[in-house]
Amino acid sequence: MAATTAGGVEAKEQPLLNVKWLTFAFMLYTVFYFWVRWYEGVYGWSAGLDSFAPEFETYWMNFLYTEIVLEVVTASILWGYLWKTRDRNLAALAPREELRRNMTHLIWLFAYAWAIYWGASYFTEQDGTWHQTIVRDTDFTPSHIIEFYLSYPIYIITGGGAFLYAHTRLPYFSTSKGLSLAYLILWTGPFMILPNVGLNEWGHTFWFMEELFVAPLHYGFVIFGWLALAIMGVLLQVFASISNLIGKDLCPDIPPAQR
Amino acid sequence: MSALQSAVRSHAEAVQVSRTIDYLGIFIFFFVVVGSYHIHAMLTMGDWDFWSDWKDRRLWVTVTPIVLVTFPAAIQAWTWEKFRNPWGATIAVLALLFGEWVNRYFNFWGWTYFPINFVFPAILVPGAILLDTFLMLSGSYLFTAIVGGMAWGLIFYPGNWPMIAPLHVPVEYNGMLMSIADIQGYNYVRTGTPEYIRMVEKGTLRTFGKDVAPVSAFFSAFMSILIYFMWHFVGRWFSTVRFLKQT
C-alpha cells in the first residue's frame, strides 16, 4: 500500500482510475462475444442452415426473442439508474472528484469503443461471409440475429450510458450548458444504423438472392457509420475538460492569464 | 472547495494521469475508427476487397483509393491540426486493416472456410505513410491534398502487386485460359456472388489493352485529390466542440 498516512484517510481513497472497472468493461464484452462466436460457430452449422426446421426455432429464434427482451430491460434499468442518480449539485464538486469522474467517463467511452468494434466491424463483416455460405431463407439468419439485434443494441445501450454519465456527472458536459453536439452525433449516428436495418431488409425482399455489398441499398449504413467520427469532437471536449484540471500542473511556468 | 485547488497532488501525478489518458484515448479513438471506417469501407469497396478474383486492373484500382482516402483526410484534419500528430492517415488504415484481418481470418476462413489467399484484404499502408509524411513535411493541407492524394492513388496498385501477382499466373483449366485468381473464385463456391455480378474489367472497343492499370491509377489519384479536399472539411466538422443550447 503506497498511501498509509493521515490516519488511514489516504489509504481508503478511491483511485483516480479504477482499473477494476476498466478490466470489467473490457472483459464483459470480450468474454460474452467469445461465447457468442462459439455458439454461432457450433449452432450456425448444426441448426442455422434451414430456418423452417424446428431446431432453428429452438436455437435461433428463441435467441432473438430472449436478447430483445434483455436489451429493453437492460437499457431501461441502466439509463434510468444513471438519470435518477444524477448529480444535482455539480457546483459543489471538488476538483479531485471531478478528475476521478473524468477517468470513469473514459472507461465508459472505452466500453463504447470496444462495443462498436464488435458490432460495426467484427459482426458486420462476418455477416458478409455467412451470406456467401447460405442462400438465406429468412431475414433472421444466425448472423443477422447476432449482428443487427444483439451487437448493435449492445453498443447503443453502452453509448447511451456514456452519454448520460457525462451529461449528468461532469461539469464540463453539464446539461445546464446544453448538449454536446459531437456527443449527440457520436451516440445517435451509430444508433441510427439499427433503424436503418428496416430499410435494408425491406429492400432485400426485392433483391433477395445475391449479396452485393456495395449495393446502393446499403449506403444508409455508410452515412450513419460516418457519424461515429464525432469521436474526434468528443475527445477534444474530454481533453479540454481534463486539461482544466491538471493542465496547470503540467505547465507550471505558464502565467495564469495564458493558461 | 476552491476552484483553484488542484485535482492532482504532484507534478509526477499530473504527468502520470495525462499518460493514462493518452492510452485510454488512443484505445477509444482506434476502435471507434475501426468500426466506423470498416463499415464505410466494406459497403463502398468491400466486394473488391473480399475476393482475389475481384482485384482487377480497372474497377478495384479506381474504387478502392477513392473511397478510402476519406477517413485518412478527416482524421488528419484532427490529429495534425489539434495535436500536431503526423499519424492520422496511418492510424486510419491500421484500424481498417485490423478490422479486416481479424474478420477474414476468424470468420471468412475460421467460420466458413474460404482460404486466406482468396480473401486477404488490400494493402493500404504505403499510401497512408505518404499522406502522413507529405503533411508533416509541408505542413500544408493543400499540398497534401494534391501531392499526397496523387501519391495515395498511384501507389495503390504497385503496393498490392507483390501480393496479387502470384495469383495472375495463367493456367489452362478444362481447355480455357484462367488466372489462378479466377480459379479460386470458381472453386471456392460463394452462394451470394455469382460470376455476373463481379464488376471487373471486361474490355471495350475504346481501350488500349495494356495501359488499363496505370490509367485507372491516375484517374483514381485525381479523384483522391478531390475527395481528400472534401473529407478534410468533414474532419473539421466532426471536430466540433459546440454545445446545443436548449431554447
Side-chain angles (χ1 to χ4, degrees), chain A residues 29-204:
Chain A
Y29 301 89
T30 309
V31 170
F32 177 66
Y33 282 137
F34 268 70
W35 172 78
V36 168
R37 177 62 184 78
W38 168 83
Y39 185 93
E40 65 183 358
V42 172
Y43 296 106
W45 286 109
S46 66
L49 296 177
D50 178 2
S51 75
F52 294 92
E55 63 266 26
F56 194 94
E57 189 70 25
T58 307
Y59 286 96
W60 287 105
M61 294 312 288
N62 285 336
F63 196 113
L64 176 71
Y65 309 138
T66 309
E67 71 194 12
I68 288 174
V69 171
L70 288 178
E71 285 151 11
V72 171
V73 170
T74 306
S76 308
I77 293 175
L78 182 68
W79 294 349
Y81 171 82
L82 284 167
W83 178 250
K84 291 299 284 181
T85 57
R86 66 190 180 277
D87 189 338
R88 291 162 200 254
N89 187 11
L90 280 171
L93 189 63
R96 182 117 184 132
E97 181 59 21
E98 186 181 340
L99 181 59
R100 191 172 292 121
R101 287 187 190 180
N102 263 297
M103 302 305 268
T104 307
H105 177 225
L106 281 169
I107 296 177
W108 272 106
L109 280 175
F110 177 99
Y112 187 41
W114 194 220
I116 280 194
Y117 162 69
W118 285 98
S121 175
Y122 189 84
F123 287 112
T124 298
E125 205 184 80
Q126 181 194 67
D127 186 41
T129 199
W130 194 246
H131 274 287
Q132 305 303 330
T133 305
I134 55 158
V135 176
R136 62 173 154 176
D137 53 359
T138 170
D139 291 325
F140 298 103
T141 60
S143 66
H144 280 192
I145 288 170
I146 302 299
E147 176 200 10
F148 293 146
Y149 310 105
L150 182 73
S151 72
Y152 291 1
I154 283 177
Y155 76 61
I156 291 164
I157 293 168
T158 311
F163 183 88
L164 279 168
Y165 184 90
H167 284 82
T168 56
R169 281 153 173 81
L170 294 175
Y172 186 91
F173 289 98
S174 158
T175 41
S176 61
K177 279 173 72 179
L179 298 176
S180 157
L181 175 59
Y183 219 141
L184 263 183
I185 296 171
L186 177 66
W187 179 25
T188 55
F191 160 77
M192 281 303 293
I193 290 177
L194 182 61
N196 190 69
V197 170
L199 165 69
N200 182 62
E201 299 299 355
W202 177 84
H204 276 301

Side-chain angles (χ1 to χ4, degrees), chain B:
Chain B
M1 294 251 186
S2 161
L4 294 171
Q5 188 193 2
S6 176
V8 287
R9 296 190 177 130
S10 66
H11 184 77
E13 191 183 47
V15 172
Q16 189 191 21
V17 166
S18 77
R19 293 295 175 275
T20 306
I21 291 163
D22 285 347
Y23 287 119
L24 288 171
I26 289 168
F27 181 97
I28 292 163
F29 184 69
F30 185 83
F31 280 101
V32 170
V33 171
V34 175
S36 178
Y37 196 17
H38 198 178
I39 279 219
H40 164 87
M42 79 179 88
L43 299 174
T44 52
M45 61 92 203
D47 299 286
W48 288 277
D49 204 62
F50 294 157
W51 319 110
S52 67
D53 67 336
W54 281 62
K55 291 182 166 60
D56 73 327
R57 299 188 299 177
R58 183 178 290 271
L59 278 301
W60 179 55
V61 173
T62 308
V63 172
T64 309
I66 294 174
V67 300
L68 288 191
V69 78
T70 48
F71 277 59
I75 290 167
Q76 277 193 337
W78 181 70
T79 48
W80 181 252
E81 204 158 301
K82 308 293 181 188
F83 308 105
R84 280 295 179 268
N85 176 328
W87 278 71
T90 311
I91 291 169
V93 304
L94 289 180
L96 177 60
L97 289 169
F98 174 85
E100 288 176 342
W101 270 107
V102 166
N103 194 66
R104 305 301 160 81
Y105 190 82
F106 291 105
N107 294 323
F108 275 67
W109 176 69
W111 195 21
T112 54
Y113 311 116
F114 291 110
I116 286 296
N117 73 352
F118 182 38
V119 296
F120 59 88
I123 288 168
L124 304 165
V125 173
I129 292 174
L130 288 172
L131 274 179
D132 278 338
T133 358
F134 283 138
L135 181 60
M136 183 180 69
L137 293 177
S138 71
S140 158
Y141 288 108
L142 179 67
F143 183 86
T144 308
I146 296 171
V147 180
M150 180 74 75
W152 166 267
L154 292 180
I155 199 74
F156 177 72
Y157 199 66
N160 278 279
W161 180 245
M163 190 124 102
I164 59 170
L167 304 178
H168 288 194
V169 176
V171 176
E172 187 189 323
Y173 191 75
N174 291 338
M176 287 176 295
L177 176 67
M178 296 174 82
S179 69
I180 302 284
D182 289 331
I183 294 173
Q184 288 180 312
Y186 184 72
N187 269 286
Y188 302 114
V189 175
R190 292 162 295 190
T191 58
T193 305
E195 163 65 18
Y196 61 83
I197 72 164
R198 178 165 70 133
M199 285 183 265
V200 292
E201 175 204 6
K202 291 175 176 131
T204 80
L205 292 178
R206 293 157 199 264
T207 306
F208 302 112
K210 65 180 172 24
D211 309 326
V212 176
V215 169
S216 302
F218 262 105
F219 173 54
S220 184
F222 167 68
M223 286 302 294
S224 294
I225 295 172
L226 299 181
I227 300 292
Y228 185 97
F229 258 98
M230 290 160 57
W231 272 76
H232 135 267
F233 289 111
V234 170
R236 290 209 177 141
W237 297 332
F238 278 122
S239 303
T240 178
V241 290
R242 277 184 57 204
F243 276 78
L244 296 182
K245 208 54 187 157
Q246 286 165 327
T247 53

